[in-house]
Amino acid sequence: MTMKYKMCLLVATAFAAATLNAGAADGAALYTKKCVACHGKDGKGTTSMGKKLKVKDMTVTKPSEAAIIKAIKEGVTEGGKLTMKPVKGLSDDDAKAIAAYVKGLK
Ligand code: HEC
């Protein structure tokens, strides 16, 4: 194998790895884009929108992964009223990544 060929292989492998990584759902980025307005960066819901909608502090209520995914897909209903609408444009992987991120909020 020539040196030039080896270098080519190395670059191709690195490129493939970077592309794969970019395809993986980034929970933090998705949370920032889709949830922060109401739930706040720290999940405490102290944004103006969060206060208006009486969003609870998720670091206190500690919803399960399943509950977070359900909230994203079906929304949240309390006392027969839809308090949070389902969040559109997220795949199953996106929802899972967001749930993992929310679980990590302290
Ligand atoms: C337009 C405002 C808004 C956006 C955007 C929003 N939510 Fe909510 N969310 C609410 C409201 C209102 C509630 C009902 C009050 C509560 O339970 O905090 C709620 C409730 C929840 C609950 C149940 C809370 C608990 O403590 O059990 C979860 C989980 C949740 N949201 C997750 C998310 C995630 C994840 C996103 C982003 C993908 C998101 N929400 C985006 C307004 C929003």
Side-chain angles (χ1 to χ4, degrees):
M1 211 188 292
T2 65
M3 189 64 199
K4 208 171 168 186
Y5 182 71
K6 270 190 197 159
M7 280 302 292
C8 247
L9 213 67
L10 207 75
V11 170
T13 313
F15 182 74
T19 315
L20 272 178
N21 207 16
D26 181 346
L30 289 167
Y31 179 85
T32 303
K33 204 165 139 196
K34 300 279 193 178
C35 322
V36 158
C38 299
H39 289 280
K41 222 176 159 189
D42 52 8
K44 293 179 194 287
T46 50
T47 59
S48 55
M49 191 82 133
K51 281 182 196 152
K52 208 167 110 188
L53 297 172
K54 299 193 169 58
V55 168
K56 290 170 203 143
D57 182 347
M58 287 200 285
T59 65
V60 174
T61 58
K62 296 192 189 303
S64 66
E65 186 183 336
I68 297 164
I69 292 171
K70 191 164 185 260
I72 294 170
K73 299 197 151 194
E74 297 168 25
V76 178
T77 312
E78 264 175 296
K81 269 197 198 151
L82 189 70
T83 46
M84 178 185 140
K85 284 191 212 136
V87 180
K88 297 196 184 107
L90 295 170
S91 68
D92 287 1
D93 280 353
D94 292 344
K96 261 193 202 158
I98 293 173
Y101 177 76
V102 170
K103 294 296 291 172
L105 292 171
K106 296 269 148 59

